[in-house]
Amino acid sequence: LQALILAGGSGTRFWPLSRQRNPKQLLALEGNQSLLRATLERLYPLVEPRSVWVCTTEALAEQVRRELPEVPPQQVLLEPEARNTAPAISWSVVSMPEEARRGVVAVLPADHRVGDSAAFRDTLERAARVVERGDQVMTLGVLPRRAETGYGYLELEPGEGQDGVRRVRRFVEKPSAENARRFVASGNYLWNAGIFVFRGSTLLEILRRLQPELARRLEEIAAAPHRLRELYARLPVDSIDYAVMEKLEDIATLPLDCDWSDLGSWEALDEVLPKDDGGNTGRGDRLAVEARGNLLFADAGTIAVLGIEDLVVVRTGDAVLVCPKSRSQEIKKLVSELAAKHREDLL
Amino acid sequence: LQALILAGGSGTRFWPLSRQRNPKQLLALEGNQSLLRATLERLYPLVEPRSVWVCTTEALAEQVRRELPEVPPQQVLLEPEARNTAPAISWSVVSMPEEARRGVVAVLPADHRVGDSAAFRDTLERAARVVERGDQVMTLGVLPRRAETGYGYLELEPGEGQDGVRRVRRFVEKPSAENARRFVASGNYLWNAGIFVFRGSTLLEILRRLQPELARRLEEIAAAPHRLRELYARLPVDSIDYAVMEKLEDIATLPLDCDWSDLGSWEALDEVLPKDDGGNTGRGDRLAVEARGNLLFADAGTIAVLGIEDLVVVRTGDAVLVCPKSRSQEIKKLVSELAAKHREDLL
């Protein structure tokens, strides 16, 4: 089993902690380990370091290699630029040696949270066996624990195959609150976690059929690797979901129940952190008096709060963020303002 | 006219900006000038530097002298310890040479705000003339602009003397909201601003009558200045209001109308700072998106807020404070907690 970890993200959702040079996957949001490092370690012992591939950008190369010293350096693949997941995954597969590519590849985002690593490995191993046997494209869908409107869903066909395998009827975009409630109540939906398992060679065949332009351009790159920068810039920007997965007639899934979160915002992080006696969560040096339900994240220095509720307060060495927890999805507005003001020092 | 500036305060109300070693009077809260420096400069040209006396503590000596280089160093008087305003003022007067002591002395807190310096000087000058003529104890009471419950009040006798002089009937502690409204509506009350004008020799006579123990102990100090530390520690801790002013049968006042504030809290500071387009006030590098009515004070680094209202956010090099503006009077709770945790680094 080969693991392909996607670590090229440059999200702004954890600003001011996340920066262009220090994006979410490199942050230790929960414990002392970066999300990237945790993504690798939870694969052990199912996947060995020599079977791990990491796709990231040139800008992050040094930090990614430092986080994952046991991954062979030539298997840390550097995109000249980020062009979404369809180019990242398919180029990574093309870059693997023939033998690896013919084997089973698990695609894993580098910036998610998994509470129960053993359950995660178990489901991943079962999915890999299904792929080995049937040359199937699989996705791991997360058993929904609440009517979340921030995730995409997988609608399932009725009935269960061998080993609990389910067929995916369709991919559903982030739903309304009402639809989310209906989905979860029905028991026929899973959260789309962006985890895919397939033979590399199978993905390339599918690409030739569904995305012939992308497939042709990847062949160009394989034939002229010295022209990577020039040719990569011509790959169509697209997500693997949209370019491939949603178009497949035959995609299977195994429900994943492993205390998963995409950690998509400060509020999502707050949900998985333990609450202190005062009902606040946080990290670092902090003091809360008559304050409840806040996330207080001190990366540097001290946070002291009095009488506030349901706020996010984040302190880094150079900045502080304060916003209501319920609006932490909107932090990109602040980041956009900073970009408009050319505050590269804070981006 | 001699000015005696009281600069020994060690308040915690502007934490985390104010610290034991950097108390409120040394802070530049509004402009680029410390409140202490502004207190001196607003006296010019009515009072000359050689007629200025400053009472502070040994711990603050160096900083106070640096802020007020034109004040003769021997006129920066250093209390061995803070024992409230009755010892501070009376010991300072005793420490003046005979000639200065016989003249008119204006006692001025070092940590207040005056918007209209010319009006302030004008009223102070008129009060000094009244004292020169009649050997009177005067206080300057501020014309109240709202039903403030955070200040003490002076109740006036009906009728006006020569030059607009009013007689004080009594000192009133911080009133209830209802009483404050009644006081302001009546027109018979002024805010007690802690500004007093008298002949030094008159104060010492009054002390012998009203506070004989304090007077006797001050004579001991005058007779044995090398025992200052030991003897000062025996002075009764008391405010000049309580020890002297409230007990006087004959105290006069002139109403002061100079855009005054005691800057007693972050909220009080917020009231005097100009509002930006978004309805926020502040200092330093800050960014507010869809946020209104906040005080954002960045002494170091950047403050970025989204969607919050009526909060105080203060960022220093080592700490950040977040609390509702309406609760900024309660910051001492945080400071007490820090003291209980022996966080001297933050006090």
Side-chain angles (χ1 to χ4, degrees), chain A residues 62-87:
Chain A
E62 200 179 321
Q63 282 164 281
V64 166
R65 288 199 177 110
R66 201 182 314 133
E67 279 293 291
L68 311 177
E70 68 266 58
V71 173
Q74 73 279 12
Q75 291 179 202
V76 177
L77 307 170
L78 304 180
E79 288 184 284
E81 59 186 277
R83 298 188 74 75
N84 209 335
T85 49

PDB file of all heavy atoms in Angstrom, chain A residues 62-87:
ATOM      1  N   GLU A  62      11.201  22.568   2.125  1.00  0.00           N
ATOM      2  CA  GLU A  62      12.143  22.401   3.221  1.00  0.00           C
ATOM      3  C   GLU A  62      11.422  22.019   4.508  1.00  0.00           C
ATOM      4  O   GLU A  62      11.821  21.092   5.217  1.00  0.00           O
ATOM      5  CB  GLU A  62      12.899  23.714   3.403  1.00  0.00           C
ATOM      6  CG  GLU A  62      14.196  23.579   4.153  1.00  0.00           C
ATOM      7  CD  GLU A  62      14.885  24.931   4.251  1.00  0.00           C
ATOM      8  OE1 GLU A  62      14.842  25.693   3.258  1.00  0.00           O
ATOM      9  OE2 GLU A  62      15.421  25.232   5.342  1.00  0.00           O
ATOM     10  N   GLN A  63      10.333  22.737   4.808  1.00  0.00           N
ATOM     11  CA  GLN A  63       9.613  22.468   6.048  1.00  0.00           C
ATOM     12  C   GLN A  63       8.972  21.082   6.040  1.00  0.00           C
ATOM     13  O   GLN A  63       8.953  20.396   7.053  1.00  0.00           O
ATOM     14  CB  GLN A  63       8.526  23.519   6.268  1.00  0.00           C
ATOM     15  CG  GLN A  63       9.079  24.836   6.779  1.00  0.00           C
ATOM     16  CD  GLN A  63       8.049  25.927   6.609  1.00  0.00           C
ATOM     17  OE1 GLN A  63       7.878  26.436   5.514  1.00  0.00           O
ATOM     18  NE2 GLN A  63       7.354  26.251   7.686  1.00  0.00           N
ATOM     19  N   VAL A  64       8.439  20.675   4.872  1.00  0.00           N
ATOM     20  CA  VAL A  64       7.792  19.360   4.782  1.00  0.00           C
ATOM     21  C   VAL A  64       8.831  18.260   4.988  1.00  0.00           C
ATOM     22  O   VAL A  64       8.609  17.311   5.746  1.00  0.00           O
ATOM     23  CB  VAL A  64       7.065  19.207   3.432  1.00  0.00           C
ATOM     24  CG1 VAL A  64       6.679  17.745   3.183  1.00  0.00           C
ATOM     25  CG2 VAL A  64       5.815  20.096   3.406  1.00  0.00           C
ATOM     26  N   ARG A  65      10.013  18.409   4.374  1.00  0.00           N
ATOM     27  CA  ARG A  65      11.051  17.383   4.534  1.00  0.00           C
ATOM     28  C   ARG A  65      11.529  17.320   5.973  1.00  0.00           C
ATOM     29  O   ARG A  65      11.833  16.252   6.502  1.00  0.00           O
ATOM     30  CB  ARG A  65      12.229  17.666   3.593  1.00  0.00           C
ATOM     31  CG  ARG A  65      11.882  17.397   2.127  1.00  0.00           C
ATOM     32  CD  ARG A  65      13.148  17.232   1.279  1.00  0.00           C
ATOM     33  NE  ARG A  65      12.796  16.913  -0.109  1.00  0.00           N
ATOM     34  CZ  ARG A  65      12.967  17.749  -1.144  1.00  0.00           C
ATOM     35  NH1 ARG A  65      13.497  18.946  -0.954  1.00  0.00           N
ATOM     36  NH2 ARG A  65      12.613  17.369  -2.352  1.00  0.00           N
ATOM     37  N   ARG A  66      11.581  18.489   6.638  1.00  0.00           N
ATOM     38  CA  ARG A  66      12.023  18.518   8.030  1.00  0.00           C
ATOM     39  C   ARG A  66      10.995  17.832   8.941  1.00  0.00           C
ATOM     40  O   ARG A  66      11.349  17.162   9.908  1.00  0.00           O
ATOM     41  CB  ARG A  66      12.235  19.973   8.474  1.00  0.00           C
ATOM     42  CG  ARG A  66      13.150  20.100   9.687  1.00  0.00           C
ATOM     43  CD  ARG A  66      13.311  21.558  10.129  1.00  0.00           C
ATOM     44  NE  ARG A  66      13.562  22.448   9.008  1.00  0.00           N
ATOM     45  CZ  ARG A  66      12.941  23.610   8.807  1.00  0.00           C
ATOM     46  NH1 ARG A  66      12.013  24.018   9.648  1.00  0.00           N
ATOM     47  NH2 ARG A  66      13.243  24.374   7.782  1.00  0.00           N
ATOM     48  N   GLU A  67       9.721  17.972   8.605  1.00  0.00           N
ATOM     49  CA  GLU A  67       8.668  17.337   9.407  1.00  0.00           C
ATOM     50  C   GLU A  67       8.649  15.830   9.220  1.00  0.00           C
ATOM     51  O   GLU A  67       8.224  15.103  10.118  1.00  0.00           O
ATOM     52  CB  GLU A  67       7.300  17.898   9.013  1.00  0.00           C
ATOM     53  CG  GLU A  67       6.940  19.231   9.630  1.00  0.00           C
ATOM     54  CD  GLU A  67       6.749  19.121  11.128  1.00  0.00           C
ATOM     55  OE1 GLU A  67       5.777  18.491  11.550  1.00  0.00           O
ATOM     56  OE2 GLU A  67       7.603  19.653  11.871  1.00  0.00           O
ATOM     57  N   LEU A  68       9.037  15.380   8.021  1.00  0.00           N
ATOM     58  CA  LEU A  68       8.921  13.954   7.681  1.00  0.00           C
ATOM     59  C   LEU A  68      10.278  13.404   7.266  1.00  0.00           C
ATOM     60  O   LEU A  68      10.467  12.973   6.124  1.00  0.00           O
ATOM     61  CB  LEU A  68       7.912  13.782   6.522  1.00  0.00           C
ATOM     62  CG  LEU A  68       6.559  14.487   6.671  1.00  0.00           C
ATOM     63  CD1 LEU A  68       5.718  14.266   5.413  1.00  0.00           C
ATOM     64  CD2 LEU A  68       5.800  14.003   7.904  1.00  0.00           C
ATOM     65  N   PRO A  69      11.251  13.403   8.183  1.00  0.00           N
ATOM     66  CA  PRO A  69      12.613  13.028   7.785  1.00  0.00           C
ATOM     67  C   PRO A  69      12.721  11.592   7.292  1.00  0.00           C
ATOM     68  O   PRO A  69      13.634  11.277   6.519  1.00  0.00           O
ATOM     69  CB  PRO A  69      13.417  13.237   9.080  1.00  0.00           C
ATOM     70  CG  PRO A  69      12.427  13.189  10.188  1.00  0.00           C
ATOM     71  CD  PRO A  69      11.158  13.722   9.622  1.00  0.00           C
ATOM     72  N   GLU A  70      11.807  10.715   7.711  1.00  0.00           N
ATOM     73  CA  GLU A  70      11.933   9.306   7.325  1.00  0.00           C
ATOM     74  C   GLU A  70      11.372   9.022   5.938  1.00  0.00           C
ATOM     75  O   GLU A  70      11.549   7.913   5.416  1.00  0.00           O
ATOM     76  CB  GLU A  70      11.276   8.409   8.382  1.00  0.00           C
ATOM     77  CG  GLU A  70       9.756   8.515   8.497  1.00  0.00           C
ATOM     78  CD  GLU A  70       9.303   9.508   9.562  1.00  0.00           C
ATOM     79  OE1 GLU A  70       9.694  10.696   9.459  1.00  0.00           O
ATOM     80  OE2 GLU A  70       8.540   9.103  10.470  1.00  0.00           O
ATOM     81  N   VAL A  71      10.678   9.986   5.350  1.00  0.00           N
ATOM     82  CA  VAL A  71      10.179   9.780   3.985  1.00  0.00           C
ATOM     83  C   VAL A  71      11.337  10.047   3.017  1.00  0.00           C
ATOM     84  O   VAL A  71      12.001  11.079   3.120  1.00  0.00           O
ATOM     85  CB  VAL A  71       8.997  10.733   3.695  1.00  0.00           C
ATOM     86  CG1 VAL A  71       8.585  10.661   2.224  1.00  0.00           C
ATOM     87  CG2 VAL A  71       7.815  10.397   4.610  1.00  0.00           C
ATOM     88  N   PRO A  72      11.581   9.128   2.088  1.00  0.00           N
ATOM     89  CA  PRO A  72      12.690   9.345   1.144  1.00  0.00           C
ATOM     90  C   PRO A  72      12.526  10.697   0.443  1.00  0.00           C
ATOM     91  O   PRO A  72      11.440  10.974  -0.106  1.00  0.00           O
ATOM     92  CB  PRO A  72      12.529   8.183   0.151  1.00  0.00           C
ATOM     93  CG  PRO A  72      11.802   7.117   0.913  1.00  0.00           C
ATOM     94  CD  PRO A  72      10.891   7.840   1.859  1.00  0.00           C
ATOM     95  N   PRO A  73      13.575  11.537   0.482  1.00  0.00           N
ATOM     96  CA  PRO A  73      13.445  12.902  -0.053  1.00  0.00           C
ATOM     97  C   PRO A  73      12.922  12.953  -1.488  1.00  0.00           C
ATOM     98  O   PRO A  73      12.149  13.855  -1.820  1.00  0.00           O
ATOM     99  CB  PRO A  73      14.869  13.449   0.028  1.00  0.00           C
ATOM    100  CG  PRO A  73      15.541  12.630   1.073  1.00  0.00           C
ATOM    101  CD  PRO A  73      14.910  11.278   1.040  1.00  0.00           C
ATOM    102  N   GLN A  74      13.311  11.976  -2.314  1.00  0.00           N
ATOM    103  CA  GLN A  74      12.846  12.029  -3.708  1.00  0.00           C
ATOM    104  C   GLN A  74      11.354  11.711  -3.817  1.00  0.00           C
ATOM    105  O   GLN A  74      10.758  11.884  -4.871  1.00  0.00           O
ATOM    106  CB  GLN A  74      13.692  11.113  -4.600  1.00  0.00           C
ATOM    107  CG  GLN A  74      13.464   9.627  -4.446  1.00  0.00           C
ATOM    108  CD  GLN A  74      14.215   9.033  -3.231  1.00  0.00           C
ATOM    109  OE1 GLN A  74      14.732   9.771  -2.391  1.00  0.00           O
ATOM    110  NE2 GLN A  74      14.255   7.705  -3.145  1.00  0.00           N
ATOM    111  N   GLN A  75      10.757  11.240  -2.714  1.00  0.00           N
ATOM    112  CA  GLN A  75       9.311  10.988  -2.733  1.00  0.00           C
ATOM    113  C   GLN A  75       8.508  12.175  -2.188  1.00  0.00           C
ATOM    114  O   GLN A  75       7.302  12.096  -2.070  1.00  0.00           O
ATOM    115  CB  GLN A  75       9.011   9.698  -1.957  1.00  0.00           C
ATOM    116  CG  GLN A  75       9.556   8.490  -2.718  1.00  0.00           C
ATOM    117  CD  GLN A  75       9.361   7.152  -2.051  1.00  0.00           C
ATOM    118  OE1 GLN A  75      10.086   6.220  -2.354  1.00  0.00           O
ATOM    119  NE2 GLN A  75       8.399   7.062  -1.133  1.00  0.00           N
ATOM    120  N   VAL A  76       9.203  13.250  -1.830  1.00  0.00           N
ATOM    121  CA  VAL A  76       8.501  14.508  -1.551  1.00  0.00           C
ATOM    122  C   VAL A  76       8.461  15.259  -2.878  1.00  0.00           C
ATOM    123  O   VAL A  76       9.458  15.821  -3.339  1.00  0.00           O
ATOM    124  CB  VAL A  76       9.215  15.333  -0.462  1.00  0.00           C
ATOM    125  CG1 VAL A  76       8.505  16.670  -0.256  1.00  0.00           C
ATOM    126  CG2 VAL A  76       9.253  14.543   0.848  1.00  0.00           C
ATOM    127  N   LEU A  77       7.301  15.202  -3.519  1.00  0.00           N
ATOM    128  CA  LEU A  77       7.155  15.751  -4.875  1.00  0.00           C
ATOM    129  C   LEU A  77       6.766  17.221  -4.777  1.00  0.00           C
ATOM    130  O   LEU A  77       5.875  17.584  -4.006  1.00  0.00           O
ATOM    131  CB  LEU A  77       6.074  14.964  -5.616  1.00  0.00           C
ATOM    132  CG  LEU A  77       6.293  13.436  -5.620  1.00  0.00           C
ATOM    133  CD1 LEU A  77       5.051  12.727  -6.166  1.00  0.00           C
ATOM    134  CD2 LEU A  77       7.531  13.077  -6.432  1.00  0.00           C
ATOM    135  N   LEU A  78       7.430  18.044  -5.582  1.00  0.00           N
ATOM    136  CA  LEU A  78       7.227  19.489  -5.469  1.00  0.00           C
ATOM    137  C   LEU A  78       6.501  20.039  -6.686  1.00  0.00           C
ATOM    138  O   LEU A  78       7.073  20.120  -7.789  1.00  0.00           O
ATOM    139  CB  LEU A  78       8.584  20.181  -5.304  1.00  0.00           C
ATOM    140  CG  LEU A  78       9.420  19.681  -4.121  1.00  0.00           C
ATOM    141  CD1 LEU A  78      10.729  20.435  -4.042  1.00  0.00           C
ATOM    142  CD2 LEU A  78       8.639  19.801  -2.817  1.00  0.00           C
ATOM    143  N   GLU A  79       5.260  20.420  -6.487  1.00  0.00           N
ATOM    144  CA  GLU A  79       4.540  21.101  -7.555  1.00  0.00           C
ATOM    145  C   GLU A  79       5.173  22.471  -7.788  1.00  0.00           C
ATOM    146  O   GLU A  79       5.414  23.211  -6.833  1.00  0.00           O
ATOM    147  CB  GLU A  79       3.098  21.374  -7.126  1.00  0.00           C
ATOM    148  CG  GLU A  79       2.197  20.188  -7.044  1.00  0.00           C
ATOM    149  CD  GLU A  79       0.786  20.671  -6.693  1.00  0.00           C
ATOM    150  OE1 GLU A  79       0.555  21.010  -5.510  1.00  0.00           O
ATOM    151  OE2 GLU A  79      -0.057  20.746  -7.599  1.00  0.00           O
ATOM    152  N   PRO A  80       5.378  22.844  -9.034  1.00  0.00           N
ATOM    153  CA  PRO A  80       5.861  24.210  -9.281  1.00  0.00           C
ATOM    154  C   PRO A  80       4.853  25.253  -8.808  1.00  0.00           C
ATOM    155  O   PRO A  80       5.215  26.346  -8.412  1.00  0.00           O
ATOM    156  CB  PRO A  80       6.027  24.267 -10.803  1.00  0.00           C
ATOM    157  CG  PRO A  80       6.090  22.843 -11.245  1.00  0.00           C
ATOM    158  CD  PRO A  80       5.251  22.067 -10.265  1.00  0.00           C
ATOM    159  N   GLU A  81       3.589  24.917  -8.859  1.00  0.00           N
ATOM    160  CA  GLU A  81       2.554  25.812  -8.351  1.00  0.00           C
ATOM    161  C   GLU A  81       1.333  24.974  -7.988  1.00  0.00           C
ATOM    162  O   GLU A  81       1.154  23.868  -8.498  1.00  0.00           O
ATOM    163  CB  GLU A  81       2.164  26.864  -9.401  1.00  0.00           C
ATOM    164  CG  GLU A  81       1.641  26.260 -10.689  1.00  0.00           C
ATOM    165  CD  GLU A  81       1.409  27.322 -11.760  1.00  0.00           C
ATOM    166  OE1 GLU A  81       0.329  27.945 -11.725  1.00  0.00           O
ATOM    167  OE2 GLU A  81       2.304  27.522 -12.609  1.00  0.00           O
ATOM    168  N   ALA A  82       0.495  25.500  -7.095  1.00  0.00           N
ATOM    169  CA  ALA A  82      -0.697  24.758  -6.693  1.00  0.00           C
ATOM    170  C   ALA A  82      -1.770  24.922  -7.760  1.00  0.00           C
ATOM    171  O   ALA A  82      -2.084  26.038  -8.174  1.00  0.00           O
ATOM    172  CB  ALA A  82      -1.198  25.284  -5.345  1.00  0.00           C
ATOM    173  N   ARG A  83      -2.311  23.794  -8.269  1.00  0.00           N
ATOM    174  CA  ARG A  83      -3.380  23.850  -9.282  1.00  0.00           C
ATOM    175  C   ARG A  83      -4.530  22.919  -8.890  1.00  0.00           C
ATOM    176  O   ARG A  83      -5.163  22.310  -9.738  1.00  0.00           O
ATOM    177  CB  ARG A  83      -2.820  23.510 -10.668  1.00  0.00           C
ATOM    178  CG  ARG A  83      -1.743  24.521 -11.132  1.00  0.00           C
ATOM    179  CD  ARG A  83      -1.305  24.323 -12.565  1.00  0.00           C
ATOM    180  NE  ARG A  83      -2.294  24.767 -13.542  1.00  0.00           N
ATOM    181  CZ  ARG A  83      -2.544  26.039 -13.845  1.00  0.00           C
ATOM    182  NH1 ARG A  83      -1.894  27.011 -13.235  1.00  0.00           N
ATOM    183  NH2 ARG A  83      -3.442  26.342 -14.753  1.00  0.00           N
ATOM    184  N   ASN A  84      -4.772  22.835  -7.582  1.00  0.00           N
ATOM    185  CA  ASN A  84      -5.859  22.023  -7.037  1.00  0.00           C
ATOM    186  C   ASN A  84      -5.516  20.525  -7.118  1.00  0.00           C
ATOM    187  O   ASN A  84      -4.449  20.151  -7.562  1.00  0.00           O
ATOM    188  CB  ASN A  84      -7.203  22.367  -7.703  1.00  0.00           C
ATOM    189  CG  ASN A  84      -8.391  22.134  -6.759  1.00  0.00           C
ATOM    190  OD1 ASN A  84      -8.302  21.328  -5.827  1.00  0.00           O
ATOM    191  ND2 ASN A  84      -9.482  22.829  -6.993  1.00  0.00           N
ATOM    192  N   THR A  85      -6.452  19.694  -6.632  1.00  0.00           N
ATOM    193  CA  THR A  85      -6.098  18.304  -6.354  1.00  0.00           C
ATOM    194  C   THR A  85      -6.032  17.399  -7.584  1.00  0.00           C
ATOM    195  O   THR A  85      -5.306  16.399  -7.569  1.00  0.00           O
ATOM    196  CB  THR A  85      -7.078  17.690  -5.335  1.00  0.00           C
ATOM    197  OG1 THR A  85      -8.417  17.954  -5.744  1.00  0.00           O
ATOM    198  CG2 THR A  85      -6.843  18.269  -3.951  1.00  0.00           C
ATOM    199  N   ALA A  86      -6.774  17.706  -8.654  1.00  0.00           N
ATOM    200  CA  ALA A  86      -6.719  16.813  -9.824  1.00  0.00           C
ATOM    201  C   ALA A  86      -5.299  16.785 -10.411  1.00  0.00           C
ATOM    202  O   ALA A  86      -4.720  15.700 -10.574  1.00  0.00           O
ATOM    203  CB  ALA A  86      -7.760  17.227 -10.871  1.00  0.00           C
ATOM    204  N   PRO A  87      -4.691  17.933 -10.717  1.00  0.00           N
ATOM    205  CA  PRO A  87      -3.287  17.896 -11.169  1.00  0.00           C
ATOM    206  C   PRO A  87      -2.343  17.320 -10.112  1.00  0.00           C
ATOM    207  O   PRO A  87      -1.456  16.530 -10.453  1.00  0.00           O
ATOM    208  CB  PRO A  87      -2.971  19.371 -11.440  1.00  0.00           C
ATOM    209  CG  PRO A  87      -4.284  19.991 -11.749  1.00  0.00           C
ATOM    210  CD  PRO A  87      -5.266  19.274 -10.868  1.00  0.00           C
TER     211      PRO A  87
END
